[in-house]
Amino acid sequence: EIEPCRKRLEEIPGITVTSSIAHNLELCSDKAGKGEALKMLRDHLGLKGEELIAVGDNMNDVSMFKVAGLSFCAGNGSEGAKALATRVICRSDEHTAKCVYELLTGDIFI
């Protein structure tokens, strides 16, 4: 039942429909959301999209992936998010920030 509901909701102007787990729908203004927040931060800091990194694990993170030049999805994330990220990395319960740091710098923390 969730997909027909999603399709009907996506027809409503001014809202974004996403999900952070398999069996829910999240609705927000199309002027809100993680991607819009990242755009605002980018603009406020005077950065370019290619200077940004987004890290997430589910479809509610994909809007950030589209804004950032580099996007990482946790290995235990949703298949949809993994397909849209630049790279799939460690699981979200395996110190994701440390994993990203090590990938970007080559430094290994013990």
Side-chain angles (χ1 to χ4, degrees):
E1 296 177 7
I2 200 165
E3 283 311 311
C5 184
R6 176 190 297 273
K7 288 182 185 346
R8 287 181 53 207
L9 289 167
E10 287 175 341
E11 294 174 4
I12 300 171
I15 67 165
T16 298
V17 182
T18 190
S19 179
S20 60
I21 58 173
H23 302 291
N24 82 327
L25 294 175
E26 298 167 10
L27 310 175
C28 67
S29 165
D30 61 1
K31 294 178 180 35
K34 295 179 179 186
E36 289 299 316
L38 189 56
K39 284 180 193 176
M40 290 176 66
L41 180 61
R42 174 200 65 200
D43 295 346
H44 177 75
L45 297 174
L47 298 172
K48 299 176 186 153
E50 59 268 18
E51 296 175 289
L52 302 176
I53 299 170
V55 181
D57 66 353
N58 221 308
M59 294 306 291
N60 64 337
D61 298 311
V62 168
S63 63
M64 288 191 307
F65 293 176
K66 293 177 181 177
V67 175
L70 188 59
S71 57
F72 295 120
C73 185
N76 61 325
S78 72
E79 293 303 315
K82 288 193 284 190
L84 296 170
T86 306
R87 182 168 178 181
V88 177
I89 58 171
C90 63
R91 297 173 48 88
S92 60
D93 56 359
E94 297 176 323
H95 307 288
T96 310
K98 176 184 166 196
C99 181
V100 170
Y101 177 82
E102 290 174 352
L103 284 168
L104 295 175
T105 66
D107 289 341
I108 306 296
F109 284 115
I110 297 178

